[in-house]
Each structure stands twice: as C-alpha cells, then as structure tokens.
C-alpha cells in the first residue's frame, strides 16, 4: 500500500510543468526566507535538489548571503547521513542514486543544534506533519539520532494530502512550506 501510494505521489509531482515548478519554487523560496523559522536559524542544513523536487539552489545562495552556515547531506551505509559545510567552491559528485553530494570525509561533519533548521525533502506530507520519504530512511534516522527539533519540509502543494500512510518510526515535520501555505506540523492542522 505504501509503495503504491509513493508511486502515485511521485507521478503527480512529475506531471507538474517545468514552468509551474519554477514559479512555485520561487513562492516557496519567498515563504521560507521571510519566515520566523528561517530568520531564527544560524545554520541551514539543506539538500541539493533533484529534477522534480522543490529547487533549493536559490535558498542555498540566499542563506550564504545572509551569513548563515549552510550544510548539505552526505549519505553512507545503513541509513547513515551527516552534513558538511557547503559553499560555492565545494566540489560535488553524483551518487548512484543521482543525488549530488560533497566529496568529503566524516571528520568534516557539522553538528546539528537548536539553531539549525533542517530542510527536508519528501514524496508526500499530510497536514498533521507526517512525511513519506523516498524509502531509504535517511532523514528519519538522522532526525531521531540527533534529536533535530527544527524541521521544515519543502513541498509543492500537490504533495500535501489530508492524510498519508505512516509508520511509528516516521518522524513528524515541525513545518511544511508550499507555494500556497506554511503548515505547522507536529499535530497542528492550522495553516498560517
């Protein structure tokens, strides 16, 4: 059931036109950088977006201009993920999953703390803050292991459903930001 739901949601997102993704991405960018959650953070841990995801390049550039520490994820074996500092000169390599990651070693890991905002990708979300990822468990494991408090899912509004299938180990997002709304997660259905 979960895998079929994931496939349907990925297909819905894939069907969004490039023009729509670009325009919606701009709105998500504006919503994020004008939000209290962004402005309160001194570190932004953020993924490098793939083709159909909410674009993150402009968010990364803005965070660097704003003097925030920007870090991007590096994945390993057994759902292991850590974040390393990112700047425009950072060398990236494409992984077998098609994701761009920094060429680095584990000793470059930046710690997550209360001043960190973790931007989280995903396939689908619901108004209660539940998230369905791509099935690897990297973000759920990272959030649990490091006790990450400030999570913001970046999603197109079509990815947000009234409810989605979820399991006990799936971490709830604190906020979900789309081109149409900013939803407070963690069990709060209020849109603000």
């Amino acid at each position: 059931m979960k895998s079929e739901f994931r496939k349907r949601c990925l297909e819905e997102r894939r069907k969004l036109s490039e023009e729509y993704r670009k325009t919606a991405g701009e709105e998500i960018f504006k919503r994020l950088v004008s939000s209290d959650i962004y402005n309160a953070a001194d570190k932004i841990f953020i993924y490098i977006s793939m083709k159909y995801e909410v674009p993150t390049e402009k968010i990364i550039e803005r965070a660097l201009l704003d003097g925030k520490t920007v870090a991007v994820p590096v994945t390993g074996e057994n759902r292991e993920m850590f974040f390393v500092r990112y700047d425009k000169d950072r060398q990236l390599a494409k992984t077998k999953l098609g994701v761009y990651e920094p060429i680095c070693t584990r000793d470059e890991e930046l710690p997550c703390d209360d001043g960190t905002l973790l931007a989280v990708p995903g396939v689908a979300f619901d108004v209660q803050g539940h998230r369905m990822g791509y099935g690897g468990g990297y973000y759920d494991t990272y959030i649990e292991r490091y006790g990450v408090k400030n999570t913001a899912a970046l999603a197109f509004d079509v990815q947000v459903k009234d409810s989605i299938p979820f399991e006990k180990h799936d971490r709830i997002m604190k906020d979900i930001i789309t081109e149409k709304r900013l939803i407070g997660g963690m069990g709060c259905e209020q849109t603000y």
Side-chain angles (χ1 to χ4, degrees), residues 10-191:
L10 284 169
E11 185 60 20
E12 280 180 340
R13 187 180 69 180
R14 191 188 66 74
K15 286 181 177 178
L16 295 173
S17 71
E18 190 172 329
E19 183 180 324
Y20 185 86
R21 283 196 306 271
K22 184 178 178 184
T23 303
E26 184 65 31
E27 287 303 311
I28 293 165
F29 164 78
K30 288 177 192 172
R31 234 175 247 288
L32 174 65
V33 301
S34 65
S35 71
D36 291 342
I37 55 175
Y38 174 85
N39 289 305
D42 55 11
K43 292 181 195 171
I44 306 293
F45 283 20
I46 189 167
Y47 59 99
I48 297 171
S49 55
M50 295 190 295
K51 185 174 183 179
Y52 298 110
E53 292 178 325
V54 170
T56 58
E57 184 178 328
K58 191 171 178 181
I59 297 167
I60 292 168
E61 288 172 7
R62 173 65 180 268
L64 290 169
L65 282 173
D66 288 343
K68 297 183 187 290
T69 299
V70 175
V72 295
V74 178
T75 56
E77 305 278 319
N78 301 318
R79 298 180 178 165
E80 188 69 26
M81 182 171 75
F82 62 96
F83 285 78
V84 298
R85 184 181 297 271
Y86 178 83
D87 61 44
K88 293 175 185 167
D89 298 325
R90 186 87 203 201
Q91 201 171 13
L92 303 173
K94 194 173 188 178
T95 69
K96 60 185 172 190
L97 297 174
V99 179
Y100 284 94
E101 294 184 352
I103 298 170
C104 65
T105 59
R106 184 71 188 240
D107 63 352
E108 294 180 62
E109 178 177 7
L110 282 181
C112 177
D113 57 33
D114 289 348
T116 304
L117 174 62
L118 176 63
V120 183
V123 173
F125 306 88
D126 68 23
V127 292
Q128 291 81 31
H130 296 109
R131 168 186 173 267
M132 178 180 286
Y134 295 94
Y138 289 98
Y139 279 88
D140 291 327
T141 301
Y142 185 85
I143 291 166
E144 179 70 23
R145 178 174 291 143
Y146 295 100
V148 181
K149 294 180 178 76
N150 301 313
T151 55
L154 304 179
F156 298 112
D157 209 65
V158 71
Q159 294 177 262
V160 181
K161 312 297 182 189
D162 289 336
S163 66
I164 63 170
F166 63 92
E167 297 170 33
K168 192 171 119 181
H169 65 268
D170 292 331
R171 301 293 93 201
I172 295 175
M173 299 291 98
K174 185 174 179 185
D175 294 288
I176 302 167
I177 301 170
T178 79
E179 70 275 22
K180 296 181 179 178
R181 53 193 169 159
L182 193 156
I183 303 166
M186 303 296 282
C188 174
E189 294 184 38
Q190 181 180 356
T191 300

